């Protein structure tokens, strides 16, 4: 009986050690994945700065409109340019868009304002709706860039 008890305790100890080791490996893998994502974001930011996505007065002041296909239908936007920079983006119509998707997709607007360009990533979970906003803004900015003084 004593030998069986010793073996049983040894097996339990080995299982506990293996479980603990696997937990450590999982945590390490999660941390490494998070580091990879952060490095990718940093590289993307550095590339965006090198490519000049932030413009210095590239647009003619005014209010411009654009329209593109979203998830449920057309998305209309109004882009306001002041001092050559995008100062405001408003969604003027998106009647057939799903409210939850549109609400989430609107998170792309601050990103566009920060980049001063429609060349930004779409919003995960609202890809089609955010693409509609992005493309409508790009259309409006194209008009703003082509304006004569």
């Amino acid at each position: 009986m004593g030998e069986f008890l010793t073996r049983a305790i040894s097996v339990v100890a080995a299982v506990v050690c293996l479980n603990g080791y696997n937990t450590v490996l999982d945590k390490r893998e999660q941390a490494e994945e998070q580091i990879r994502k952060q490095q990718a974001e940093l590289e993307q930011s550095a590339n965006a700065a090198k490519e000049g996505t932030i413009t210095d007065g590239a647009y003619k002041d005014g209010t411009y409109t654009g329209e593109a296909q979203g998830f449920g239908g057309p998305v209309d936007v109004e882009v306001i340019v002041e001092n050559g920079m995008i100062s405001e983006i408003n969604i003027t119509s998106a009647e057939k868009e799903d409210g939850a998707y549109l609400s989430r997709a609107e998170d792309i607007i601050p990103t566009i304002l920060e980049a001063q360009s429609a060349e930004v990533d779409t919003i995960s979970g609202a890809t089609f709706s955010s693409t509609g906003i992005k493309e409508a803004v790009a259309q409006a900015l194209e008009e703003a860039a082509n304006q004569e003084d």
Side-chain angles (χ1 to χ4, degrees):
M1 180 71 178
E3 187 177 324
F4 173 76
L5 189 55
T6 303
R7 286 184 181 181
I9 291 173
S10 296
V11 168
V12 169
V15 169
V16 169
C17 288
L18 286 173
N19 190 29
Y21 180 71
N22 284 335
T23 301
V24 169
L25 289 179
D26 288 344
K27 296 282 185 190
R28 182 178 292 164
E29 187 176 319
Q30 289 172 356
E32 288 173 352
E33 180 64 27
Q34 186 176 10
I35 290 170
R36 280 193 294 275
K37 284 181 182 178
Q38 290 173 342
Q39 285 175 332
E41 289 174 2
L42 285 172
E43 288 175 4
Q44 185 177 18
S45 295
N47 288 340
K50 286 180 188 175
E51 293 173 2
T53 56
I54 298 176
T55 60
D56 293 322
Y59 307 114
K60 175 103 171 105
D61 287 1
T63 301
Y64 303 93
T65 60
E67 178 182 287
Q69 184 66 30
F71 176 73
V75 176
D76 297 333
V77 299
E78 173 185 77
V79 177
I80 300 172
V81 176
E82 295 174 341
N83 300 318
M85 307 289 279
I86 306 167
S87 64
E88 193 174 330
I89 299 171
N90 299 306
I91 298 173
T92 56
S93 176
E95 296 171 6
K96 296 183 180 179
E97 283 296 302
D98 180 270
Y101 288 133
L102 183 61
S103 174
R104 187 162 182 164
E106 288 174 335
D107 290 346
I108 200 169
I109 293 173
T111 307
I112 294 172
L113 289 170
E114 183 179 322
Q116 289 293 299
S117 170
E119 295 298 318
V120 298
D121 291 335
T122 57
I123 302 297
S124 178
T127 305
F128 292 111
S129 297
S130 61
T131 298
I133 294 170
K134 182 174 121 169
E135 289 177 358
V137 169
Q139 185 182 76
L141 292 177
E142 192 174 301
E143 183 183 337
N146 291 330
Q147 292 295 312
E148 297 291 326
D149 284 329

